[in-house]
Amino acid sequence: EVQLVESGGGLVQPGGSLRLSCAASGFIFRLYDMSWVRQAVGKGLEWVSSIDASGASTDYADFVKGRFTISRDNAKNTLYLQLNRLQTEDTAVYYCARRTDGNQPRGQGTQVTVSS
């Protein structure tokens, strides 16, 4: 069974940082392109970033370029998202997803709240 378990969210002040993690199991992680998506209250899913299976190629939504960094450790079956210079608009539940699943989340996500 494919499992994706997100962690690392929390409450942070504007301008702060967080590092999100996604532990993957039930599939051969190193063969899959992965993504982070997010959903704010009252809004739909929003793509944030993707990384290819090897980790060599990354892509970002314009609203996070220069602030967020996606990475992966295939030996640990873990996907990461470093969030820097957080803004109140970044408040959302963050999910990891497989690109082959159409970036549809499978896990519970991790809540990121940016507030002073």
Side-chain angles (χ1 to χ4, degrees), residues 15 20 24 35 88 95 109:
L20 308 183
S35 299
T88 56
Y95 303 89

Side-chain angles (χ1 to χ4, degrees), residues 78-98:
T78 304
L79 179 72
Y80 302 101
L81 187 67
Q82 177 68 40
L83 289 67
N84 295 330
R85 304 199 331 258
L86 282 161
Q87 304 167 356
T88 56
E89 308 88 81
D90 296 318
T91 295
V93 178
Y94 285 71
Y95 303 89
C96 61
R98 301 190 309 179

Side-chain angles (χ1 to χ4, degrees), residues 37-59:
V37 297
R38 69 185 187 183
Q39 187 166 26
V41 173
K43 296 187 177 181
L45 277 175
E46 182 175 49
W47 173 74
V48 174
S49 181
S50 294
I51 188 168
D52 74 346
S54 70
S57 178
T58 59
D59 197 12

Side-chain angles (χ1 to χ4, degrees), residues 2-76:
V2 173
Q3 288 196 326
L4 299 170
V5 180
E6 302 90 347
S7 62
L11 174 63
V12 63
Q13 293 185 340
S17 298
L18 285 172
R19 190 193 195 199
L20 308 183
S21 298
C22 169
S25 62
F27 65 103
I28 304 174
F29 179 72
R30 60 182 171 81
L31 298 182
Y32 285 79
D33 296 353
M34 298 294 295
S35 299
W36 286 96
V37 297
R38 69 185 187 183
Q39 187 166 26
V41 173
K43 296 187 177 181
L45 277 175
E46 182 175 49
W47 173 74
V48 174
S49 181
S50 294
I51 188 168
D52 74 346
S54 70
S57 178
T58 59
D59 197 12
Y60 298 92
D62 286 344
F63 57 80
V64 303
K65 278 182 180 176
R67 300 190 300 122
F68 293 4
T69 304
I70 191 171
S71 62
R72 64 192 297 161
D73 186 335
N74 285 344
K76 295 183 178 180

